[in-house]
Amino acid sequence: MDISLSPADETFRQEVRAFLDAELSDELREAGRLTSGIFTDKKWNMLWHKKLYAKGWVAPSWPKEYGGTGWTVTQRHIFSSECARAGAPTLSPLGLQMCGPMLIGHGSQEQKDFYLPRMLSGEDYWCQGYSEPGSGSDLASLKCKAESDGDDYVINGTKIWTTHAHDANRMFCLVRTDSSGKPQTGITFVLIDMDTPGITVDPIITLAGDHEFNQVFFDNVRVPKANRVGAEDDGWTVAKYLLEFERGGSYAPRLRVGVERLKSLAANQSNGDGGSVAEDDAFASKLTAFEVALDAQEMTENRIMAAMSNGQNPGPASSMLKVAGTELRQELDLLAVEAIGNLALPDQMQARQPGSNVEPIGSADVMTKIPAMLNNRAGTIYGGSSEVQRGIMAKMVLGL
């Protein structure tokens, strides 16, 4: 594995940096810096989405024939790393990074022709209908039912923890079409227009005070069978393919940025003994141990990136990235909270809104630490819990 950059890749890095310098406004940088949830609020991520779309860079991982960039895996890694360093808002991954690749792999030509251009332009904003009350990590036990009625399915049931459903106009969803066999069979994958009569979206406010999640109710919602992806009762195959993209990805670049910000923060926080938190031996030891673990994560990501350069999908190795990346994120959050001490106590919901004129208590970095810590506790649960991921690794990677 050679991780050094070629001259062409270094030229590409400079092109990306120049674009970010020119297009990332102070407002967009602030929105990226203040994000404490899974991704930046729609208002801000769509502003950035439009700029990337105009440049032709909004879907780095898509094949060029579908409107992607045609970049190599290395170029995609460079782009994501530079965006993290520049503090760019995080785009919603639900369409571009999850539903889009799934449609490219499993959708009909008609579905690709209709949905993919709308994902690229931002005309469609997606949410994911997977989890249900009692069917989270055990997703195969889902009960949201779809009954056949002519050319339609009639859907009844509920989905929960539906990120940005209150903003979305489209949902990709798993529904139960047959209950007679194994739990994994009888599941069908459908695409739903959120304006369809019978859909109700109720907010779920997080511990950090953010409205990111929702519960979605379906009451005799009619969905055309033309919106089914794959065969009826074979949605589990489609869902597993999509989850490779949800669980994969690159964690190290943003974690690296987080470490640098934490070092700066710790250097400016008193340890109560005449020095800074950064000078505290116990804290410094924890931070060093974290950086060693992050080095290991980065090398794992590089190995998988090298495999993908040879045309392989992330496969079960994406579970490795998901477990280690989300657990490292939580560990970094706890170190940040330790560093700020009593400044973790004030609730600064208003001050941490982009463009707010409310003066923060402490630095702007300080006020995001508790919200980020609270929201990122879900990281080892959503997308398949760490326990589920370890089961996948044991079976599919280690052959146990």
Side-chain angles (χ1 to χ4, degrees):
M1 179 180 66
D2 182 4
I3 61 173
S4 61
L5 294 183
S6 68
D9 287 333
E10 188 56 49
T11 298
F12 176 74
R13 184 196 294 276
Q14 297 307 317
E15 181 186 0
V16 172
R17 287 179 175 174
F19 171 76
L20 293 172
D21 287 343
E23 298 296 337
L24 265 181
S25 65
D26 290 342
E27 270 193 332
L28 284 172
R29 291 177 191 270
E30 182 186 33
R33 198 174 186 87
L34 293 180
T35 297
S36 60
I38 298 172
F39 44 89
T40 311
D41 284 348
K42 182 181 180 182
K43 173 184 175 181
W44 303 104
N45 77 48
M46 286 308 301
L47 282 174
W48 184 228
H49 181 121
K50 301 279 187 190
K51 288 177 179 285
L52 292 172
Y53 176 65
K55 180 69 172 175
W57 286 3
V58 77
S61 63
W62 289 19
K64 200 164 187 177
E65 61 266 32
Y66 292 108
T69 58
W71 289 344
T72 65
V73 173
T74 300
Q75 287 175 316
R76 299 202 301 265
H77 179 74
I78 290 170
F79 179 70
S80 64
S81 298
E82 293 301 325
C83 284
R85 289 190 183 96
T90 49
L91 300 185
S92 168
L94 296 163
L96 293 171
Q97 296 178 33
M98 294 163 61
C99 191
M102 178 278 300
L103 285 175
I104 290 170
H106 285 271
S108 68
Q109 191 59 51
E110 292 77 12
Q111 289 167 342
K112 294 174 188 177
D113 291 344
F114 180 76
Y115 290 111
L116 295 181
R118 297 166 66 95
M119 286 182 193
L120 291 172
S121 68
E123 184 175 355
D124 283 347
Y125 195 81
W126 289 80
C127 62
Q128 179 189 55
Y130 274 23
S131 293
E132 300 177 9
S135 297
S137 294
D138 182 19
L139 183 59
S141 67
L142 66 89
K143 296 179 175 60
C144 186
K145 189 173 183 180
E147 296 182 307
S148 177
D149 185 16
D151 292 332
D152 294 339
Y153 291 115
V154 180
I155 299 177
N156 285 279
T158 186
K159 297 290 178 178
I160 201 166
W161 313 121
T162 316
T163 307
H164 281 204
H166 57 297
D167 290 321
N169 67 318
R170 304 279 181 190
M171 173 189 282
F172 56 93
C173 187
L174 293 176
V175 292
R176 173 72 60 190
T177 44
D178 186 359
S179 301
S180 61
K182 294 193 308 181
Q184 288 83 358
T185 63
I187 293 174
T188 298
F189 197 108
V190 293
L191 309 175
I192 300 174
D193 185 336
M194 292 294 285
D195 290 332
T196 306
I199 295 178
T200 303
V201 179
D202 282 355
I204 298 174
I205 307 303
T206 69
L207 283 171
D210 298 314
H211 179 194
E212 193 168 31
F213 301 123
N214 304 271
Q215 184 166 6
V216 182
F217 298 90
F218 301 90
D219 183 11
N220 291 323
V221 174
R222 301 189 74 89
V223 175
K225 290 182 179 177
N227 286 16
R228 184 184 70 222
V229 181
E232 184 171 293
D233 299 335
D234 194 35
W236 194 248
T237 299
V238 181
K240 286 193 298 182
Y241 180 82
L242 185 148
L243 283 170
E244 291 182 14
F245 297 94
E246 179 179 8
R247 293 167 179 170
S250 182
Y251 292 85
R254 291 196 177 273
L255 288 170
R256 285 283 177 210
V257 172
V259 168
E260 294 309 309
R261 290 179 179 173
L262 176 56
K263 287 180 177 178
S264 175
L265 188 66
N268 290 289
Q269 296 295 317
S270 171
N271 65 4
D273 195 28
S276 70
V277 172
E279 296 170 315
D280 182 84
D281 288 342
F283 182 84
S285 177
K286 292 175 188 176
L287 185 54
T288 299
F290 178 86
E291 290 188 273
V292 171
L294 180 53
D295 286 342
Q297 170 75 6
E298 190 167 45
M299 292 305 294
T300 302
E301 291 184 7
N302 287 337
R303 286 193 295 104
I304 293 173
M305 183 171 66
M308 291 175 66
S309 295
N310 294 321
Q312 301 176 32
N313 280 340
S318 62
S319 292
M320 297 164 55
L321 297 185
K322 204 272 184 180
V323 169
T326 52
E327 292 182 356
L328 282 173
R329 175 73 263 179
Q330 292 174 351
E331 187 176 341
L332 185 62
D333 290 336
L334 292 175
L335 284 171
V337 171
E338 180 179 342
I340 63 177
N342 290 340
L343 289 175
L345 295 174
D347 180 356
Q348 303 196 65
M349 183 70 184
Q350 288 183 312
R352 61 186 176 88
Q353 302 307 306
S356 171
N357 59 5
V358 176
E359 190 70 24
I361 301 170
S363 68
D365 269 349
V366 165
M367 66 182 176
T368 62
K369 299 311 178 190
I370 282 290
M373 185 271 288
L374 293 172
N375 280 332
N376 288 332
R377 299 311 297 169
T380 46
I381 301 173
Y382 62 66
S385 69
S386 290
E387 291 79 5
V388 168
Q389 306 303 334
R390 288 189 168 94
I392 293 171
M393 286 187 283
K395 181 178 179 181
M396 304 298 294
V397 179
L398 301 176
L400 300 178

mmCIF file of all heavy atoms in Angstrom, residues 133-172:
data_model
loop_
_atom_site.group_PDB
_atom_site.id
_atom_site.type_symbol
_atom_site.label_atom_id
_atom_site.label_comp_id
_atom_site.label_asym_id
_atom_site.label_seq_id
_atom_site.Cartn_x
_atom_site.Cartn_y
_atom_site.Cartn_z
ATOM 1 N N PRO A 133 -40.106 1.300 16.237
ATOM 2 C CA PRO A 133 -40.109 0.970 17.660
ATOM 3 C C PRO A 133 -39.998 -0.548 17.836
ATOM 4 O O PRO A 133 -40.842 -1.302 17.344
ATOM 5 C CB PRO A 133 -41.471 1.486 18.135
ATOM 6 C CG PRO A 133 -41.811 2.576 17.164
ATOM 7 C CD PRO A 133 -41.276 2.117 15.847
ATOM 8 N N GLY A 134 -38.934 -1.007 18.468
ATOM 9 C CA GLY A 134 -38.727 -2.439 18.641
ATOM 10 C C GLY A 134 -37.976 -3.102 17.504
ATOM 11 O O GLY A 134 -37.656 -4.283 17.579
ATOM 12 N N SER A 135 -37.684 -2.364 16.446
ATOM 13 C CA SER A 135 -36.941 -2.918 15.302
ATOM 14 C C SER A 135 -35.861 -1.922 14.901
ATOM 15 O O SER A 135 -36.002 -1.198 13.913
ATOM 16 C CB SER A 135 -37.874 -3.197 14.123
ATOM 17 O OG SER A 135 -38.834 -4.179 14.435
ATOM 18 N N GLY A 136 -34.822 -1.877 15.695
ATOM 19 C CA GLY A 136 -33.696 -0.995 15.405
ATOM 20 C C GLY A 136 -32.534 -1.824 14.921
ATOM 21 O O GLY A 136 -32.394 -2.093 13.727
ATOM 22 N N SER A 137 -31.690 -2.281 15.849
ATOM 23 C CA SER A 137 -30.581 -3.146 15.458
ATOM 24 C C SER A 137 -31.099 -4.464 14.882
ATOM 25 O O SER A 137 -30.489 -5.038 13.983
ATOM 26 C CB SER A 137 -29.675 -3.417 16.660
ATOM 27 O OG SER A 137 -29.045 -2.222 17.070
ATOM 28 N N ASP A 138 -32.215 -4.939 15.383
ATOM 29 C CA ASP A 138 -32.862 -6.135 14.816
ATOM 30 C C ASP A 138 -33.811 -5.692 13.715
ATOM 31 O O ASP A 138 -35.032 -5.838 13.803
ATOM 32 C CB ASP A 138 -33.605 -6.895 15.914
ATOM 33 C CG ASP A 138 -34.251 -8.180 15.397
ATOM 34 O OD1 ASP A 138 -33.835 -8.656 14.310
ATOM 35 O OD2 ASP A 138 -35.166 -8.694 16.062
ATOM 36 N N LEU A 139 -33.234 -5.144 12.660
ATOM 37 C CA LEU A 139 -34.041 -4.518 11.615
ATOM 38 C C LEU A 139 -34.950 -5.515 10.906
ATOM 39 O O LEU A 139 -36.053 -5.154 10.459
ATOM 40 C CB LEU A 139 -33.108 -3.846 10.589
ATOM 41 C CG LEU A 139 -33.764 -3.072 9.459
ATOM 42 C CD1 LEU A 139 -34.651 -1.953 9.990
ATOM 43 C CD2 LEU A 139 -32.688 -2.501 8.535
ATOM 44 N N ALA A 140 -34.526 -6.779 10.831
ATOM 45 C CA ALA A 140 -35.328 -7.775 10.109
ATOM 46 C C ALA A 140 -36.676 -8.037 10.768
ATOM 47 O O ALA A 140 -37.571 -8.621 10.145
ATOM 48 C CB ALA A 140 -34.550 -9.076 9.990
ATOM 49 N N SER A 141 -36.853 -7.577 12.011
ATOM 50 C CA SER A 141 -38.132 -7.791 12.696
ATOM 51 C C SER A 141 -39.153 -6.695 12.390
ATOM 52 O O SER A 141 -40.217 -6.656 13.001
ATOM 53 C CB SER A 141 -37.902 -7.865 14.211
ATOM 54 O OG SER A 141 -37.480 -6.596 14.719
ATOM 55 N N LEU A 142 -38.863 -5.835 11.424
ATOM 56 C CA LEU A 142 -39.754 -4.704 11.142
ATOM 57 C C LEU A 142 -41.171 -5.171 10.804
ATOM 58 O O LEU A 142 -41.376 -6.251 10.237
ATOM 59 C CB LEU A 142 -39.177 -3.840 10.021
ATOM 60 C CG LEU A 142 -39.047 -4.415 8.612
ATOM 61 C CD1 LEU A 142 -40.309 -4.192 7.793
ATOM 62 C CD2 LEU A 142 -37.853 -3.815 7.897
ATOM 63 N N LYS A 143 -42.151 -4.323 11.148
ATOM 64 C CA LYS A 143 -43.560 -4.687 10.995
ATOM 65 C C LYS A 143 -44.353 -3.731 10.115
ATOM 66 O O LYS A 143 -45.528 -3.982 9.837
ATOM 67 C CB LYS A 143 -44.228 -4.772 12.381
ATOM 68 C CG LYS A 143 -43.648 -5.869 13.270
ATOM 69 C CD LYS A 143 -44.337 -5.885 14.623
ATOM 70 C CE LYS A 143 -43.846 -7.049 15.484
ATOM 71 N NZ LYS A 143 -42.399 -6.997 15.750
ATOM 72 N N CYS A 144 -43.786 -2.600 9.734
ATOM 73 C CA CYS A 144 -44.507 -1.655 8.874
ATOM 74 C C CYS A 144 -44.967 -2.406 7.626
ATOM 75 O O CYS A 144 -44.154 -2.919 6.854
ATOM 76 C CB CYS A 144 -43.603 -0.482 8.507
ATOM 77 S SG CYS A 144 -44.426 0.820 7.590
ATOM 78 N N LYS A 145 -46.281 -2.468 7.417
ATOM 79 C CA LYS A 145 -46.859 -3.415 6.464
ATOM 80 C C LYS A 145 -47.264 -2.747 5.157
ATOM 81 O O LYS A 145 -47.815 -1.637 5.148
ATOM 82 C CB LYS A 145 -48.082 -4.083 7.098
ATOM 83 C CG LYS A 145 -48.654 -5.248 6.303
ATOM 84 C CD LYS A 145 -49.755 -5.940 7.093
ATOM 85 C CE LYS A 145 -50.286 -7.164 6.345
ATOM 86 N NZ LYS A 145 -51.366 -7.837 7.102
ATOM 87 N N ALA A 146 -46.990 -3.449 4.061
ATOM 88 C CA ALA A 146 -47.432 -2.989 2.742
ATOM 89 C C ALA A 146 -48.269 -4.089 2.105
ATOM 90 O O ALA A 146 -47.789 -5.201 1.881
ATOM 91 C CB ALA A 146 -46.239 -2.649 1.862
ATOM 92 N N GLU A 147 -49.531 -3.774 1.824
ATOM 93 C CA GLU A 147 -50.431 -4.736 1.193
ATOM 94 C C GLU A 147 -50.641 -4.363 -0.269
ATOM 95 O O GLU A 147 -50.815 -3.193 -0.615
ATOM 96 C CB GLU A 147 -51.776 -4.764 1.929
ATOM 97 C CG GLU A 147 -51.655 -5.257 3.368
ATOM 98 C CD GLU A 147 -53.009 -5.319 4.055
ATOM 99 O OE1 GLU A 147 -53.708 -4.284 4.041
ATOM 100 O OE2 GLU A 147 -53.356 -6.388 4.594
ATOM 101 N N SER A 148 -50.643 -5.389 -1.121
ATOM 102 C CA SER A 148 -50.820 -5.165 -2.547
ATOM 103 C C SER A 148 -52.261 -4.787 -2.855
ATOM 104 O O SER A 148 -53.200 -5.408 -2.356
ATOM 105 C CB SER A 148 -50.428 -6.433 -3.310
ATOM 106 O OG SER A 148 -50.653 -6.261 -4.690
ATOM 107 N N ASP A 149 -52.425 -3.756 -3.687
ATOM 108 C CA ASP A 149 -53.754 -3.341 -4.135
ATOM 109 C C ASP A 149 -53.618 -2.820 -5.564
ATOM 110 O O ASP A 149 -53.367 -1.632 -5.784
ATOM 111 C CB ASP A 149 -54.321 -2.254 -3.221
ATOM 112 C CG ASP A 149 -55.758 -1.883 -3.587
ATOM 113 O OD1 ASP A 149 -56.402 -2.662 -4.323
ATOM 114 O OD2 ASP A 149 -56.232 -0.814 -3.153
ATOM 115 N N GLY A 150 -53.755 -3.710 -6.523
ATOM 116 C CA GLY A 150 -53.603 -3.320 -7.917
ATOM 117 C C GLY A 150 -52.175 -2.907 -8.230
ATOM 118 O O GLY A 150 -51.229 -3.659 -7.989
ATOM 119 N N ASP A 151 -52.012 -1.696 -8.710
ATOM 120 C CA ASP A 151 -50.692 -1.172 -9.061
ATOM 121 C C ASP A 151 -50.005 -0.476 -7.900
ATOM 122 O O ASP A 151 -48.924 0.107 -8.073
ATOM 123 C CB ASP A 151 -50.803 -0.184 -10.238
ATOM 124 C CG ASP A 151 -51.204 -0.864 -11.533
ATOM 125 O OD1 ASP A 151 -50.899 -2.057 -11.696
ATOM 126 O OD2 ASP A 151 -51.839 -0.193 -12.370
ATOM 127 N N ASP A 152 -50.625 -0.538 -6.717
ATOM 128 C CA ASP A 152 -50.088 0.166 -5.550
ATOM 129 C C ASP A 152 -49.819 -0.792 -4.409
ATOM 130 O O ASP A 152 -50.364 -1.905 -4.344
ATOM 131 C CB ASP A 152 -51.082 1.228 -5.044
ATOM 132 C CG ASP A 152 -51.304 2.359 -6.024
ATOM 133 O OD1 ASP A 152 -50.435 2.563 -6.890
ATOM 134 O OD2 ASP A 152 -52.352 3.024 -5.919
ATOM 135 N N TYR A 153 -48.995 -0.315 -3.467
ATOM 136 C CA TYR A 153 -48.915 -0.877 -2.128
ATOM 137 C C TYR A 153 -49.638 0.092 -1.197
ATOM 138 O O TYR A 153 -49.525 1.312 -1.342
ATOM 139 C CB TYR A 153 -47.470 -1.028 -1.651
ATOM 140 C CG TYR A 153 -46.675 -2.085 -2.371
ATOM 141 C CD1 TYR A 153 -45.581 -1.741 -3.155
ATOM 142 C CD2 TYR A 153 -46.997 -3.435 -2.248
ATOM 143 C CE1 TYR A 153 -44.823 -2.704 -3.808
ATOM 144 C CE2 TYR A 153 -46.250 -4.404 -2.894
ATOM 145 C CZ TYR A 153 -45.167 -4.035 -3.678
ATOM 146 O OH TYR A 153 -44.430 -5.000 -4.319
ATOM 147 N N VAL A 154 -50.365 -0.458 -0.223
ATOM 148 C CA VAL A 154 -50.998 0.360 0.807
ATOM 149 C C VAL A 154 -50.235 0.114 2.111
ATOM 150 O O VAL A 154 -50.215 -1.005 2.630
ATOM 151 C CB VAL A 154 -52.495 0.018 0.971
ATOM 152 C CG1 VAL A 154 -53.109 0.896 2.061
ATOM 153 C CG2 VAL A 154 -53.228 0.216 -0.354
ATOM 154 N N ILE A 155 -49.599 1.170 2.615
ATOM 155 C CA ILE A 155 -48.668 1.030 3.731
ATOM 156 C C ILE A 155 -49.287 1.546 5.023
ATOM 157 O O ILE A 155 -49.859 2.642 5.063
ATOM 158 C CB ILE A 155 -47.359 1.794 3.431
ATOM 159 C CG1 ILE A 155 -46.694 1.215 2.171
ATOM 160 C CG2 ILE A 155 -46.393 1.720 4.608
ATOM 161 C CD1 ILE A 155 -45.444 1.943 1.746
ATOM 162 N N ASN A 156 -49.141 0.736 6.091
ATOM 163 C CA ASN A 156 -49.568 1.128 7.427
ATOM 164 C C ASN A 156 -48.478 0.745 8.427
ATOM 165 O O ASN A 156 -47.894 -0.339 8.344
ATOM 166 C CB ASN A 156 -50.873 0.421 7.813
ATOM 167 C CG ASN A 156 -52.080 1.010 7.117
ATOM 168 O OD1 ASN A 156 -52.620 2.025 7.526
ATOM 169 N ND2 ASN A 156 -52.496 0.358 6.028
ATOM 170 N N GLY A 157 -48.230 1.654 9.365
ATOM 171 C CA GLY A 157 -47.212 1.385 10.370
ATOM 172 C C GLY A 157 -46.449 2.650 10.712
ATOM 173 O O GLY A 157 -46.940 3.766 10.494
ATOM 174 N N THR A 158 -45.249 2.485 11.256
ATOM 175 C CA THR A 158 -44.476 3.647 11.695
ATOM 176 C C THR A 158 -42.976 3.385 11.556
ATOM 177 O O THR A 158 -42.532 2.234 11.594
ATOM 178 C CB THR A 158 -44.812 4.008 13.155
ATOM 179 O OG1 THR A 158 -44.152 5.222 13.517
ATOM 180 C CG2 THR A 158 -44.408 2.909 14.119
ATOM 181 N N LYS A 159 -42.227 4.452 11.377
ATOM 182 C CA LYS A 159 -40.765 4.442 11.389
ATOM 183 C C LYS A 159 -40.308 5.472 12.418
ATOM 184 O O LYS A 159 -40.981 6.479 12.646
ATOM 185 C CB LYS A 159 -40.199 4.789 10.008
ATOM 186 C CG LYS A 159 -40.566 3.786 8.916
ATOM 187 C CD LYS A 159 -39.858 2.459 9.110
ATOM 188 C CE LYS A 159 -40.260 1.459 8.046
ATOM 189 N NZ LYS A 159 -39.532 0.168 8.204
ATOM 190 N N ILE A 160 -39.139 5.215 13.015
ATOM 191 C CA ILE A 160 -38.676 6.106 14.075
ATOM 192 C C ILE A 160 -37.184 6.427 13.891
ATOM 193 O O ILE A 160 -36.480 5.746 13.148
ATOM 194 C CB ILE A 160 -38.929 5.480 15.464
ATOM 195 C CG1 ILE A 160 -38.948 6.549 16.565
ATOM 196 C CG2 ILE A 160 -37.927 4.366 15.767
ATOM 197 C CD1 ILE A 160 -39.506 6.065 17.891
ATOM 198 N N TRP A 161 -36.743 7.496 14.572
ATOM 199 C CA TRP A 161 -35.373 8.007 14.453
ATOM 200 C C TRP A 161 -35.075 8.395 12.995
ATOM 201 O O TRP A 161 -33.964 8.216 12.515
ATOM 202 C CB TRP A 161 -34.327 7.011 14.968
ATOM 203 C CG TRP A 161 -34.659 6.413 16.293
ATOM 204 C CD1 TRP A 161 -34.815 5.103 16.577
ATOM 205 C CD2 TRP A 161 -34.894 7.122 17.525
ATOM 206 N NE1 TRP A 161 -35.130 4.941 17.899
ATOM 207 C CE2 TRP A 161 -35.193 6.163 18.506
ATOM 208 C CE3 TRP A 161 -34.890 8.482 17.881
ATOM 209 C CZ2 TRP A 161 -35.476 6.501 19.814
ATOM 210 C CZ3 TRP A 161 -35.184 8.813 19.185
ATOM 211 C CH2 TRP A 161 -35.469 7.832 20.138
ATOM 212 N N THR A 162 -36.080 8.949 12.330
ATOM 213 C CA THR A 162 -35.954 9.262 10.907
ATOM 214 C C THR A 162 -35.315 10.638 10.756
ATOM 215 O O THR A 162 -35.980 11.674 10.877
ATOM 216 C CB THR A 162 -37.333 9.212 10.222
ATOM 217 O OG1 THR A 162 -38.040 8.053 10.664
ATOM 218 C CG2 THR A 162 -37.169 9.165 8.719
ATOM 219 N N THR A 163 -34.014 10.629 10.476
ATOM 220 C CA THR A 163 -33.248 11.868 10.412
ATOM 221 C C THR A 163 -33.734 12.766 9.284
ATOM 222 O O THR A 163 -33.851 12.334 8.138
ATOM 223 C CB THR A 163 -31.756 11.555 10.222
ATOM 224 O OG1 THR A 163 -31.344 10.646 11.233
ATOM 225 C CG2 THR A 163 -30.915 12.818 10.283
ATOM 226 N N HIS A 164 -34.036 14.037 9.643
ATOM 227 C CA HIS A 164 -34.457 15.083 8.702
ATOM 228 C C HIS A 164 -35.722 14.733 7.913
ATOM 229 O O HIS A 164 -35.938 15.259 6.818
ATOM 230 C CB HIS A 164 -33.312 15.433 7.758
ATOM 231 C CG HIS A 164 -32.288 16.337 8.375
ATOM 232 N ND1 HIS A 164 -31.468 17.158 7.643
ATOM 233 C CD2 HIS A 164 -31.936 16.552 9.666
ATOM 234 C CE1 HIS A 164 -30.668 17.841 8.450
ATOM 235 N NE2 HIS A 164 -30.932 17.479 9.688
ATOM 236 N N ALA A 165 -36.572 13.858 8.462
ATOM 237 C CA ALA A 165 -37.842 13.570 7.788
ATOM 238 C C ALA A 165 -38.705 14.822 7.682
ATOM 239 O O ALA A 165 -39.518 14.946 6.758
ATOM 240 C CB ALA A 165 -38.601 12.477 8.534
ATOM 241 N N HIS A 166 -38.545 15.765 8.619
ATOM 242 C CA HIS A 166 -39.329 17.004 8.587
ATOM 243 C C HIS A 166 -38.889 17.921 7.452
ATOM 244 O O HIS A 166 -39.609 18.856 7.091
ATOM 245 C CB HIS A 166 -39.221 17.736 9.931
ATOM 246 C CG HIS A 166 -37.827 18.069 10.337
ATOM 247 N ND1 HIS A 166 -36.870 17.114 10.598
ATOM 248 C CD2 HIS A 166 -37.203 19.261 10.558
ATOM 249 C CE1 HIS A 166 -35.742 17.691 10.956
ATOM 250 N NE2 HIS A 166 -35.902 18.998 10.923
ATOM 251 N N ASP A 167 -37.704 17.675 6.893
ATOM 252 C CA ASP A 167 -37.199 18.467 5.775
ATOM 253 C C ASP A 167 -37.301 17.736 4.444
ATOM 254 O O ASP A 167 -37.174 18.354 3.388
ATOM 255 C CB ASP A 167 -35.726 18.829 5.999
ATOM 256 C CG ASP A 167 -35.526 19.837 7.126
ATOM 257 O OD1 ASP A 167 -36.353 20.751 7.238
ATOM 258 O OD2 ASP A 167 -34.543 19.704 7.879
ATOM 259 N N ALA A 168 -37.464 16.424 4.493
ATOM 260 C CA ALA A 168 -37.344 15.601 3.289
ATOM 261 C C ALA A 168 -38.622 15.590 2.459
ATOM 262 O O ALA A 168 -39.728 15.664 2.994
ATOM 263 C CB ALA A 168 -36.974 14.172 3.678
ATOM 264 N N ASN A 169 -38.456 15.469 1.151
ATOM 265 C CA ASN A 169 -39.608 15.242 0.268
ATOM 266 C C ASN A 169 -39.623 13.822 -0.296
ATOM 267 O O ASN A 169 -40.552 13.439 -0.995
ATOM 268 C CB ASN A 169 -39.620 16.251 -0.885
ATOM 269 C CG ASN A 169 -38.471 16.072 -1.852
ATOM 270 O OD1 ASN A 169 -37.344 15.838 -1.429
ATOM 271 N ND2 ASN A 169 -38.732 16.184 -3.148
ATOM 272 N N ARG A 170 -38.575 13.026 0.030
ATOM 273 C CA ARG A 170 -38.510 11.632 -0.406
ATOM 274 C C ARG A 170 -37.996 10.753 0.736
ATOM 275 O O ARG A 170 -37.215 11.198 1.568
ATOM 276 C CB ARG A 170 -37.547 11.464 -1.582
ATOM 277 C CG ARG A 170 -37.835 12.332 -2.783
ATOM 278 C CD ARG A 170 -38.916 11.766 -3.661
ATOM 279 N NE ARG A 170 -39.153 12.622 -4.813
ATOM 280 C CZ ARG A 170 -40.149 12.493 -5.657
ATOM 281 N NH1 ARG A 170 -41.017 11.504 -5.508
ATOM 282 N NH2 ARG A 170 -40.298 13.328 -6.674
ATOM 283 N N MET A 171 -38.446 9.507 0.739
ATOM 284 C CA MET A 171 -37.960 8.517 1.702
ATOM 285 C C MET A 171 -37.669 7.216 0.978
ATOM 286 O O MET A 171 -38.442 6.794 0.127
ATOM 287 C CB MET A 171 -39.000 8.256 2.794
ATOM 288 C CG MET A 171 -38.635 7.098 3.746
ATOM 289 S SD MET A 171 -39.961 6.617 4.876
ATOM 290 C CE MET A 171 -39.846 7.911 6.108
ATOM 291 N N PHE A 172 -36.539 6.571 1.308
ATOM 292 C CA PHE A 172 -36.348 5.171 0.914
ATOM 293 C C PHE A 172 -36.662 4.332 2.140
ATOM 294 O O PHE A 172 -36.239 4.644 3.250
ATOM 295 C CB PHE A 172 -34.953 4.905 0.346
ATOM 296 C CG PHE A 172 -33.801 5.284 1.218
ATOM 297 C CD1 PHE A 172 -33.217 4.360 2.073
ATOM 298 C CD2 PHE A 172 -33.253 6.560 1.154
ATOM 299 C CE1 PHE A 172 -32.125 4.696 2.866
ATOM 300 C CE2 PHE A 172 -32.152 6.912 1.936
ATOM 301 C CZ PHE A 172 -31.596 5.978 2.803
#
